[in-house]
Amino acid sequence: MAVSVEGLASAVKGRVVGAEASDYDDSRALFNAMIDKRPAAIVYCVDEGDVAAAIGYGREQGLPIAIRSGGHNGAGLGSVDDGLVIDLSQMNQVTIDGELARVGGGALLKDVLETTHQHGLTLPVGIIGTTGVGGLTLGGGIGHFSRTMGLTIDNLVAATVVLADGSVVQTDAEREPDLFWALRGGGGNFGVVTEFTFRLHPASVVLAGPVLYDLDDAADVLRWYREFVPAQPDELGIWYGLVSVPPGPPFPEELHLRKTAALVVTQAGEEESAALREARSFGTPLLDGVGPVPVPVWNTAFDGVYSPGDQWYWRGDFVEEIPDDAIDVHVRFHESVPTWKSTMHLYSIDGAASRVGNDETAWGYRHAKWGQVVAGVDPDPANAGAITEWCRAYSDALKPYVLEGGYSNFAMDEPDRVRGMYGANYDRLAQIKAQYDPDNVFRVNQNIAPAA
Ligand SMILES: Cc1cc2nc3c(=O)[nH]c(=O)nc-3n(C[C@H](O)[C@H](O)[C@H](O)COP(=O)(O)OP(=O)(O)OC[C@H]3O[C@@H](n4cnc5c(N)ncnc54)[C@H](O)[C@@H]3O)c2cc1C
């Protein structure tokens, strides 16, 4: 669809890239190369005024609007065919003020962590540094520190939002409290967040790394993990993964590409706790890579394996119990994993993340103990079918053992599951949506329909 990009270009200070631009293909590329969307234009906003002008222009022209922070969304919800992409990557400033960080809506996690680290502070975020703070935060934000410091949203204290009518509001527990509630788990449904304010935690160097076990031990390790970790103090974070060893340093050559079960450990503080000592003494690992590591280094340690441009198909669920039958499913599917990057992770979300009520924020799965993701991943588009089929079959086989609904940030475009993603909070979210975005201008997301 032809769109007059000139009209938009004169309305904003940032650059506008239309389909005729020589860098259009680079500009429209998303992290997940399985998604190939062709927007009418991409506007690189530099401030709130640009965002408001872009929203106004999109509405006037009848264009669907997508909001892009890091472009990591698995379903490609940071872009839209024949519509307008509001790209926030130029708005990536991170400013530290005491124990607070003010973070631009387009900052990447690694931008945030590098800056907070200079002050001996950190924020609990996702495990890959190139993810955008925007999508990650608004969906919840699970990571290495969830047991210790809560979800990313649990550390959000304020936000600046450009609403569908172009007005700019500040929101926190006192100002526009319903909006503030909805932003913490309700995704990009309510407006464009141009700045987040987070409360930070003291943490500089942590004890972290993977402990890898032979696939024959995967079931025993998972049986141990499901009992051990929930009984430990919050300071110890461990997630369980079924992973193939990356074919490169720092892993020894004899382990390259070997299928393994992994305990991925993060302990706040440099002194090994009794809990961590006990964890590291379990079973007979192939490798124990736990050691002191600065937080930003640890939080980007997997970026090389999961670099932009791979094909991704994934499914995310919440888990309250891991029965033996579920463990059998995990092991069976990992034995037939189609590509070495394809994986399953079970992130612990008990501890601090579970001590918030289901109705205190829009994220209504505080009763879950784990956030589970199954991901088919490979650089070769020829394998797109195989990784998709594997992921779907695997996640279908796990259905009896997961909660209804699922984590919006780990979902593909799955309209039938959207209501469940917001669980018991859906109806309240729909009321707030009707107040802040009655025309559903922000609908390129796991969409909440405005209440009638
Ligand atoms: C390799 C990889 C690792 C991941 N690891 C984790 C993890 O450890 N923990 C975890 O919780 N999740 C993780 N995720 C999932 C991630 O949180 C989601 O994919 C999230 O949507 C990515 O955010 P983004 O800003 O990069 O995405 P984008 O594609 O830019 O945006 C995604 C959605 O968020 C909305 N949005 C983004 N920014 C804003 C904003 N400023 N204002 C309003 N709406 C906005 C948009 O509406 C869009 O629908 C991972 C994803 C990948 C690909």
Side-chain angles (χ1 to χ4, degrees), residues 390-419:
W390 175 80
C391 178
R392 284 188 180 148
Y394 189 169
S395 110
D396 287 349
L398 289 169
K399 275 279 160 296
Y401 317 111
V402 300
L403 296 175
E404 254 183 68
Y407 180 29
S408 62
N409 272 353
F410 287 161
M412 295 300 284
D413 205 351
E414 301 173 69
D416 295 347
R417 296 184 75 198
V418 171
R419 192 171 238 284

PDB file of all heavy atoms in Angstrom, residues 390-419:
ATOM      1  N   TRP A 390       8.175 -29.505  15.818  1.00  0.00           N
ATOM      2  CA  TRP A 390       8.712 -30.035  17.084  1.00  0.00           C
ATOM      3  C   TRP A 390       8.171 -29.232  18.266  1.00  0.00           C
ATOM      4  O   TRP A 390       7.692 -29.796  19.256  1.00  0.00           O
ATOM      5  CB  TRP A 390      10.239 -29.988  17.047  1.00  0.00           C
ATOM      6  CG  TRP A 390      10.920 -30.383  18.323  1.00  0.00           C
ATOM      7  CD1 TRP A 390      11.146 -31.649  18.768  1.00  0.00           C
ATOM      8  CD2 TRP A 390      11.459 -29.506  19.329  1.00  0.00           C
ATOM      9  NE1 TRP A 390      11.803 -31.619  19.978  1.00  0.00           N
ATOM     10  CE2 TRP A 390      12.006 -30.314  20.355  1.00  0.00           C
ATOM     11  CE3 TRP A 390      11.551 -28.122  19.454  1.00  0.00           C
ATOM     12  CZ2 TRP A 390      12.630 -29.782  21.480  1.00  0.00           C
ATOM     13  CZ3 TRP A 390      12.162 -27.583  20.584  1.00  0.00           C
ATOM     14  CH2 TRP A 390      12.693 -28.417  21.579  1.00  0.00           C
ATOM     15  N   CYS A 391       8.218 -27.908  18.142  1.00  0.00           N
ATOM     16  CA  CYS A 391       7.792 -27.057  19.247  1.00  0.00           C
ATOM     17  C   CYS A 391       6.302 -27.254  19.534  1.00  0.00           C
ATOM     18  O   CYS A 391       5.892 -27.384  20.693  1.00  0.00           O
ATOM     19  CB  CYS A 391       8.093 -25.593  18.910  1.00  0.00           C
ATOM     20  SG  CYS A 391       7.540 -24.465  20.182  1.00  0.00           S
ATOM     21  N   ARG A 392       5.500 -27.300  18.478  1.00  0.00           N
ATOM     22  CA  ARG A 392       4.051 -27.472  18.688  1.00  0.00           C
ATOM     23  C   ARG A 392       3.753 -28.821  19.323  1.00  0.00           C
ATOM     24  O   ARG A 392       2.957 -28.919  20.261  1.00  0.00           O
ATOM     25  CB  ARG A 392       3.309 -27.366  17.358  1.00  0.00           C
ATOM     26  CG  ARG A 392       3.192 -25.938  16.871  1.00  0.00           C
ATOM     27  CD  ARG A 392       2.273 -25.886  15.664  1.00  0.00           C
ATOM     28  NE  ARG A 392       2.120 -24.538  15.164  1.00  0.00           N
ATOM     29  CZ  ARG A 392       1.942 -24.220  13.895  1.00  0.00           C
ATOM     30  NH1 ARG A 392       1.914 -25.176  12.978  1.00  0.00           N
ATOM     31  NH2 ARG A 392       1.793 -22.971  13.540  1.00  0.00           N
ATOM     32  N   ALA A 393       4.386 -29.884  18.798  1.00  0.00           N
ATOM     33  CA  ALA A 393       4.109 -31.232  19.325  1.00  0.00           C
ATOM     34  C   ALA A 393       4.554 -31.317  20.790  1.00  0.00           C
ATOM     35  O   ALA A 393       3.854 -31.881  21.642  1.00  0.00           O
ATOM     36  CB  ALA A 393       4.834 -32.277  18.484  1.00  0.00           C
ATOM     37  N   TYR A 394       5.699 -30.738  21.086  1.00  0.00           N
ATOM     38  CA  TYR A 394       6.261 -30.755  22.445  1.00  0.00           C
ATOM     39  C   TYR A 394       5.314 -30.011  23.382  1.00  0.00           C
ATOM     40  O   TYR A 394       4.886 -30.531  24.431  1.00  0.00           O
ATOM     41  CB  TYR A 394       7.634 -30.085  22.383  1.00  0.00           C
ATOM     42  CG  TYR A 394       8.530 -30.138  23.605  1.00  0.00           C
ATOM     43  CD1 TYR A 394       9.862 -29.740  23.487  1.00  0.00           C
ATOM     44  CD2 TYR A 394       8.091 -30.554  24.853  1.00  0.00           C
ATOM     45  CE1 TYR A 394      10.735 -29.766  24.569  1.00  0.00           C
ATOM     46  CE2 TYR A 394       8.953 -30.577  25.949  1.00  0.00           C
ATOM     47  CZ  TYR A 394      10.263 -30.174  25.804  1.00  0.00           C
ATOM     48  OH  TYR A 394      11.110 -30.186  26.882  1.00  0.00           O
ATOM     49  N   SER A 395       4.935 -28.796  22.994  1.00  0.00           N
ATOM     50  CA  SER A 395       4.100 -28.005  23.899  1.00  0.00           C
ATOM     51  C   SER A 395       2.703 -28.628  24.017  1.00  0.00           C
ATOM     52  O   SER A 395       2.098 -28.608  25.091  1.00  0.00           O
ATOM     53  CB  SER A 395       4.113 -26.546  23.484  1.00  0.00           C
ATOM     54  OG  SER A 395       2.915 -26.138  22.976  1.00  0.00           O
ATOM     55  N   ASP A 396       2.188 -29.243  22.943  1.00  0.00           N
ATOM     56  CA  ASP A 396       0.890 -29.932  23.052  1.00  0.00           C
ATOM     57  C   ASP A 396       0.985 -31.104  24.030  1.00  0.00           C
ATOM     58  O   ASP A 396       0.071 -31.347  24.815  1.00  0.00           O
ATOM     59  CB  ASP A 396       0.428 -30.458  21.676  1.00  0.00           C
ATOM     60  CG  ASP A 396      -0.045 -29.324  20.768  1.00  0.00           C
ATOM     61  OD1 ASP A 396      -0.201 -28.190  21.271  1.00  0.00           O
ATOM     62  OD2 ASP A 396      -0.243 -29.568  19.558  1.00  0.00           O
ATOM     63  N   ALA A 397       2.112 -31.823  23.980  1.00  0.00           N
ATOM     64  CA  ALA A 397       2.274 -32.981  24.873  1.00  0.00           C
ATOM     65  C   ALA A 397       2.363 -32.548  26.342  1.00  0.00           C
ATOM     66  O   ALA A 397       2.071 -33.321  27.247  1.00  0.00           O
ATOM     67  CB  ALA A 397       3.524 -33.770  24.480  1.00  0.00           C
ATOM     68  N   LEU A 398       2.767 -31.278  26.562  1.00  0.00           N
ATOM     69  CA  LEU A 398       2.878 -30.779  27.946  1.00  0.00           C
ATOM     70  C   LEU A 398       1.570 -30.184  28.477  1.00  0.00           C
ATOM     71  O   LEU A 398       1.473 -29.858  29.661  1.00  0.00           O
ATOM     72  CB  LEU A 398       3.975 -29.709  28.025  1.00  0.00           C
ATOM     73  CG  LEU A 398       5.415 -30.210  27.894  1.00  0.00           C
ATOM     74  CD1 LEU A 398       6.362 -29.022  27.728  1.00  0.00           C
ATOM     75  CD2 LEU A 398       5.829 -31.044  29.106  1.00  0.00           C
ATOM     76  N   LYS A 399       0.589 -30.041  27.588  1.00  0.00           N
ATOM     77  CA  LYS A 399      -0.678 -29.373  27.962  1.00  0.00           C
ATOM     78  C   LYS A 399      -1.280 -29.870  29.278  1.00  0.00           C
ATOM     79  O   LYS A 399      -1.731 -29.061  30.099  1.00  0.00           O
ATOM     80  CB  LYS A 399      -1.724 -29.523  26.844  1.00  0.00           C
ATOM     81  CG  LYS A 399      -1.621 -28.487  25.758  1.00  0.00           C
ATOM     82  CD  LYS A 399      -2.291 -27.187  26.163  1.00  0.00           C
ATOM     83  CE  LYS A 399      -1.841 -25.989  25.366  1.00  0.00           C
ATOM     84  NZ  LYS A 399      -0.463 -25.576  25.471  1.00  0.00           N
ATOM     85  N   PRO A 400      -1.328 -31.202  29.512  1.00  0.00           N
ATOM     86  CA  PRO A 400      -1.952 -31.640  30.769  1.00  0.00           C
ATOM     87  C   PRO A 400      -1.221 -31.156  32.024  1.00  0.00           C
ATOM     88  O   PRO A 400      -1.777 -31.235  33.116  1.00  0.00           O
ATOM     89  CB  PRO A 400      -1.863 -33.176  30.692  1.00  0.00           C
ATOM     90  CG  PRO A 400      -1.535 -33.502  29.275  1.00  0.00           C
ATOM     91  CD  PRO A 400      -0.855 -32.316  28.690  1.00  0.00           C
ATOM     92  N   TYR A 401      -0.004 -30.667  31.868  1.00  0.00           N
ATOM     93  CA  TYR A 401       0.817 -30.355  33.051  1.00  0.00           C
ATOM     94  C   TYR A 401       1.069 -28.863  33.236  1.00  0.00           C
ATOM     95  O   TYR A 401       1.900 -28.468  34.055  1.00  0.00           O
ATOM     96  CB  TYR A 401       2.162 -31.094  32.957  1.00  0.00           C
ATOM     97  CG  TYR A 401       2.000 -32.514  32.483  1.00  0.00           C
ATOM     98  CD1 TYR A 401       2.459 -32.917  31.229  1.00  0.00           C
ATOM     99  CD2 TYR A 401       1.344 -33.451  33.278  1.00  0.00           C
ATOM    100  CE1 TYR A 401       2.275 -34.213  30.782  1.00  0.00           C
ATOM    101  CE2 TYR A 401       1.154 -34.750  32.836  1.00  0.00           C
ATOM    102  CZ  TYR A 401       1.614 -35.116  31.589  1.00  0.00           C
ATOM    103  OH  TYR A 401       1.414 -36.392  31.148  1.00  0.00           O
ATOM    104  N   VAL A 402       0.399 -28.024  32.430  1.00  0.00           N
ATOM    105  CA  VAL A 402       0.638 -26.578  32.558  1.00  0.00           C
ATOM    106  C   VAL A 402      -0.672 -25.882  32.928  1.00  0.00           C
ATOM    107  O   VAL A 402      -1.753 -26.448  32.764  1.00  0.00           O
ATOM    108  CB  VAL A 402       1.205 -25.974  31.241  1.00  0.00           C
ATOM    109  CG1 VAL A 402       2.527 -26.632  30.884  1.00  0.00           C
ATOM    110  CG2 VAL A 402       0.212 -26.075  30.088  1.00  0.00           C
ATOM    111  N   LEU A 403      -0.548 -24.628  33.404  1.00  0.00           N
ATOM    112  CA  LEU A 403      -1.742 -23.852  33.726  1.00  0.00           C
ATOM    113  C   LEU A 403      -2.391 -23.380  32.430  1.00  0.00           C
ATOM    114  O   LEU A 403      -1.724 -23.257  31.393  1.00  0.00           O
ATOM    115  CB  LEU A 403      -1.357 -22.642  34.580  1.00  0.00           C
ATOM    116  CG  LEU A 403      -0.764 -22.963  35.957  1.00  0.00           C
ATOM    117  CD1 LEU A 403      -0.312 -21.677  36.653  1.00  0.00           C
ATOM    118  CD2 LEU A 403      -1.781 -23.703  36.808  1.00  0.00           C
ATOM    119  N   GLU A 404      -3.666 -23.074  32.502  1.00  0.00           N
ATOM    120  CA  GLU A 404      -4.316 -22.491  31.333  1.00  0.00           C
ATOM    121  C   GLU A 404      -3.728 -21.102  31.105  1.00  0.00           C
ATOM    122  O   GLU A 404      -3.313 -20.450  32.057  1.00  0.00           O
ATOM    123  CB  GLU A 404      -5.809 -22.337  31.609  1.00  0.00           C
ATOM    124  CG  GLU A 404      -6.643 -23.356  30.868  1.00  0.00           C
ATOM    125  CD  GLU A 404      -8.106 -23.130  31.105  1.00  0.00           C
ATOM    126  OE1 GLU A 404      -8.612 -22.107  30.626  1.00  0.00           O
ATOM    127  OE2 GLU A 404      -8.698 -23.967  31.805  1.00  0.00           O
ATOM    128  N   GLY A 405      -3.753 -20.644  29.884  1.00  0.00           N
ATOM    129  CA  GLY A 405      -3.198 -19.313  29.613  1.00  0.00           C
ATOM    130  C   GLY A 405      -1.767 -19.449  29.138  1.00  0.00           C
ATOM    131  O   GLY A 405      -1.440 -20.361  28.410  1.00  0.00           O
ATOM    132  N   GLY A 406      -0.902 -18.549  29.550  1.00  0.00           N
ATOM    133  CA  GLY A 406       0.496 -18.619  29.105  1.00  0.00           C
ATOM    134  C   GLY A 406       1.120 -17.250  29.203  1.00  0.00           C
ATOM    135  O   GLY A 406       0.410 -16.251  29.382  1.00  0.00           O
ATOM    136  N   TYR A 407       2.433 -17.191  29.076  1.00  0.00           N
ATOM    137  CA  TYR A 407       3.159 -15.925  29.233  1.00  0.00           C
ATOM    138  C   TYR A 407       3.150 -15.174  27.895  1.00  0.00           C
ATOM    139  O   TYR A 407       3.664 -15.677  26.896  1.00  0.00           O
ATOM    140  CB  TYR A 407       4.578 -16.251  29.691  1.00  0.00           C
ATOM    141  CG  TYR A 407       5.491 -15.055  29.916  1.00  0.00           C
ATOM    142  CD1 TYR A 407       4.993 -13.815  30.307  1.00  0.00           C
ATOM    143  CD2 TYR A 407       6.857 -15.191  29.764  1.00  0.00           C
ATOM    144  CE1 TYR A 407       5.835 -12.742  30.528  1.00  0.00           C
ATOM    145  CE2 TYR A 407       7.718 -14.125  29.985  1.00  0.00           C
ATOM    146  CZ  TYR A 407       7.192 -12.896  30.359  1.00  0.00           C
ATOM    147  OH  TYR A 407       8.037 -11.838  30.574  1.00  0.00           O
ATOM    148  N   SER A 408       2.581 -13.971  27.894  1.00  0.00           N
ATOM    149  CA  SER A 408       2.427 -13.236  26.628  1.00  0.00           C
ATOM    150  C   SER A 408       3.773 -13.007  25.943  1.00  0.00           C
ATOM    151  O   SER A 408       3.851 -12.984  24.716  1.00  0.00           O
ATOM    152  CB  SER A 408       1.741 -11.891  26.884  1.00  0.00           C
ATOM    153  OG  SER A 408       2.534 -11.096  27.739  1.00  0.00           O
ATOM    154  N   ASN A 409       4.840 -12.852  26.709  1.00  0.00           N
ATOM    155  CA  ASN A 409       6.138 -12.569  26.096  1.00  0.00           C
ATOM    156  C   ASN A 409       6.756 -13.799  25.444  1.00  0.00           C
ATOM    157  O   ASN A 409       7.719 -13.669  24.687  1.00  0.00           O
ATOM    158  CB  ASN A 409       7.112 -12.023  27.144  1.00  0.00           C
ATOM    159  CG  ASN A 409       7.016 -10.517  27.277  1.00  0.00           C
ATOM    160  OD1 ASN A 409       6.314  -9.868  26.508  1.00  0.00           O
ATOM    161  ND2 ASN A 409       7.710  -9.954  28.245  1.00  0.00           N
ATOM    162  N   PHE A 410       6.259 -14.978  25.744  1.00  0.00           N
ATOM    163  CA  PHE A 410       6.799 -16.199  25.135  1.00  0.00           C
ATOM    164  C   PHE A 410       5.810 -16.802  24.136  1.00  0.00           C
ATOM    165  O   PHE A 410       5.827 -17.998  23.892  1.00  0.00           O
ATOM    166  CB  PHE A 410       7.108 -17.252  26.206  1.00  0.00           C
ATOM    167  CG  PHE A 410       8.315 -16.984  27.063  1.00  0.00           C
ATOM    168  CD1 PHE A 410       8.462 -17.629  28.282  1.00  0.00           C
ATOM    169  CD2 PHE A 410       9.317 -16.121  26.662  1.00  0.00           C
ATOM    170  CE1 PHE A 410       9.574 -17.403  29.092  1.00  0.00           C
ATOM    171  CE2 PHE A 410      10.432 -15.880  27.463  1.00  0.00           C
ATOM    172  CZ  PHE A 410      10.553 -16.526  28.681  1.00  0.00           C
ATOM    173  N   ALA A 411       4.934 -15.970  23.577  1.00  0.00           N
ATOM    174  CA  ALA A 411       3.895 -16.510  22.689  1.00  0.00           C
ATOM    175  C   ALA A 411       4.159 -16.105  21.246  1.00  0.00           C
ATOM    176  O   ALA A 411       4.759 -15.065  20.977  1.00  0.00           O
ATOM    177  CB  ALA A 411       2.536 -15.997  23.126  1.00  0.00           C
ATOM    178  N   MET A 412       3.675 -16.926  20.338  1.00  0.00           N
ATOM    179  CA  MET A 412       3.630 -16.519  18.938  1.00  0.00           C
ATOM    180  C   MET A 412       2.303 -15.764  18.764  1.00  0.00           C
ATOM    181  O   MET A 412       1.678 -15.375  19.731  1.00  0.00           O
ATOM    182  CB  MET A 412       3.698 -17.749  18.023  1.00  0.00           C
ATOM    183  CG  MET A 412       5.001 -18.515  18.108  1.00  0.00           C
ATOM    184  SD  MET A 412       6.492 -17.563  17.670  1.00  0.00           S
ATOM    185  CE  MET A 412       6.400 -17.488  15.891  1.00  0.00           C
ATOM    186  N   ASP A 413       1.890 -15.549  17.524  1.00  0.00           N
ATOM    187  CA  ASP A 413       0.613 -14.898  17.280  1.00  0.00           C
ATOM    188  C   ASP A 413      -0.464 -15.954  17.516  1.00  0.00           C
ATOM    189  O   ASP A 413      -0.724 -16.770  16.642  1.00  0.00           O
ATOM    190  CB  ASP A 413       0.595 -14.412  15.821  1.00  0.00           C
ATOM    191  CG  ASP A 413      -0.354 -13.255  15.663  1.00  0.00           C
ATOM    192  OD1 ASP A 413      -1.088 -12.968  16.619  1.00  0.00           O
ATOM    193  OD2 ASP A 413      -0.354 -12.647  14.581  1.00  0.00           O
ATOM    194  N   GLU A 414      -1.033 -15.977  18.722  1.00  0.00           N
ATOM    195  CA  GLU A 414      -1.945 -17.063  19.095  1.00  0.00           C
ATOM    196  C   GLU A 414      -3.242 -16.457  19.628  1.00  0.00           C
ATOM    197  O   GLU A 414      -3.493 -16.461  20.832  1.00  0.00           O
ATOM    198  CB  GLU A 414      -1.295 -17.952  20.172  1.00  0.00           C
ATOM    199  CG  GLU A 414       0.019 -18.579  19.740  1.00  0.00           C
ATOM    200  CD  GLU A 414       0.723 -19.308  20.880  1.00  0.00           C
ATOM    201  OE1 GLU A 414       0.216 -20.342  21.321  1.00  0.00           O
ATOM    202  OE2 GLU A 414       1.777 -18.822  21.331  1.00  0.00           O
ATOM    203  N   PRO A 415      -4.079 -15.890  18.709  1.00  0.00           N
ATOM    204  CA  PRO A 415      -5.262 -15.149  19.160  1.00  0.00           C
ATOM    205  C   PRO A 415      -6.164 -15.952  20.102  1.00  0.00           C
ATOM    206  O   PRO A 415      -6.752 -15.382  21.021  1.00  0.00           O
ATOM    207  CB  PRO A 415      -6.008 -14.818  17.860  1.00  0.00           C
ATOM    208  CG  PRO A 415      -5.153 -15.257  16.733  1.00  0.00           C
ATOM    209  CD  PRO A 415      -3.933 -15.939  17.250  1.00  0.00           C
ATOM    210  N   ASP A 416      -6.243 -17.266  19.912  1.00  0.00           N
ATOM    211  CA  ASP A 416      -7.147 -18.060  20.762  1.00  0.00           C
ATOM    212  C   ASP A 416      -6.675 -18.127  22.210  1.00  0.00           C
ATOM    213  O   ASP A 416      -7.448 -18.471  23.100  1.00  0.00           O
ATOM    214  CB  ASP A 416      -7.242 -19.509  20.250  1.00  0.00           C
ATOM    215  CG  ASP A 416      -7.876 -19.555  18.886  1.00  0.00           C
ATOM    216  OD1 ASP A 416      -8.446 -18.525  18.484  1.00  0.00           O
ATOM    217  OD2 ASP A 416      -7.782 -20.606  18.219  1.00  0.00           O
ATOM    218  N   ARG A 417      -5.409 -17.836  22.441  1.00  0.00           N
ATOM    219  CA  ARG A 417      -4.877 -17.971  23.798  1.00  0.00           C
ATOM    220  C   ARG A 417      -4.780 -16.633  24.535  1.00  0.00           C
ATOM    221  O   ARG A 417      -4.392 -16.588  25.697  1.00  0.00           O
ATOM    222  CB  ARG A 417      -3.476 -18.606  23.760  1.00  0.00           C
ATOM    223  CG  ARG A 417      -3.461 -20.026  23.231  1.00  0.00           C
ATOM    224  CD  ARG A 417      -2.063 -20.608  23.329  1.00  0.00           C
ATOM    225  NE  ARG A 417      -1.704 -20.964  24.695  1.00  0.00           N
ATOM    226  CZ  ARG A 417      -0.449 -21.158  25.100  1.00  0.00           C
ATOM    227  NH1 ARG A 417       0.554 -20.992  24.277  1.00  0.00           N
ATOM    228  NH2 ARG A 417      -0.181 -21.493  26.346  1.00  0.00           N
ATOM    229  N   VAL A 418      -5.121 -15.531  23.839  1.00  0.00           N
ATOM    230  CA  VAL A 418      -4.836 -14.211  24.416  1.00  0.00           C
ATOM    231  C   VAL A 418      -5.552 -13.982  25.743  1.00  0.00           C
ATOM    232  O   VAL A 418      -4.939 -13.554  26.726  1.00  0.00           O
ATOM    233  CB  VAL A 418      -5.189 -13.092  23.419  1.00  0.00           C
ATOM    234  CG1 VAL A 418      -5.099 -11.732  24.093  1.00  0.00           C
ATOM    235  CG2 VAL A 418      -4.232 -13.128  22.238  1.00  0.00           C
ATOM    236  N   ARG A 419      -6.841 -14.314  25.796  1.00  0.00           N
ATOM    237  CA  ARG A 419      -7.604 -14.079  27.033  1.00  0.00           C
ATOM    238  C   ARG A 419      -6.902 -14.771  28.211  1.00  0.00           C
ATOM    239  O   ARG A 419      -6.713 -14.188  29.272  1.00  0.00           O
ATOM    240  CB  ARG A 419      -9.029 -14.596  26.866  1.00  0.00           C
ATOM    241  CG  ARG A 419      -9.944 -14.160  27.947  1.00  0.00           C
ATOM    242  CD  ARG A 419     -11.383 -14.518  27.600  1.00  0.00           C
ATOM    243  NE  ARG A 419     -12.255 -13.367  27.581  1.00  0.00           N
ATOM    244  CZ  ARG A 419     -12.719 -12.766  28.674  1.00  0.00           C
ATOM    245  NH1 ARG A 419     -12.380 -13.177  29.865  1.00  0.00           N
ATOM    246  NH2 ARG A 419     -13.526 -11.732  28.581  1.00  0.00           N
TER     247      ARG A 419
END
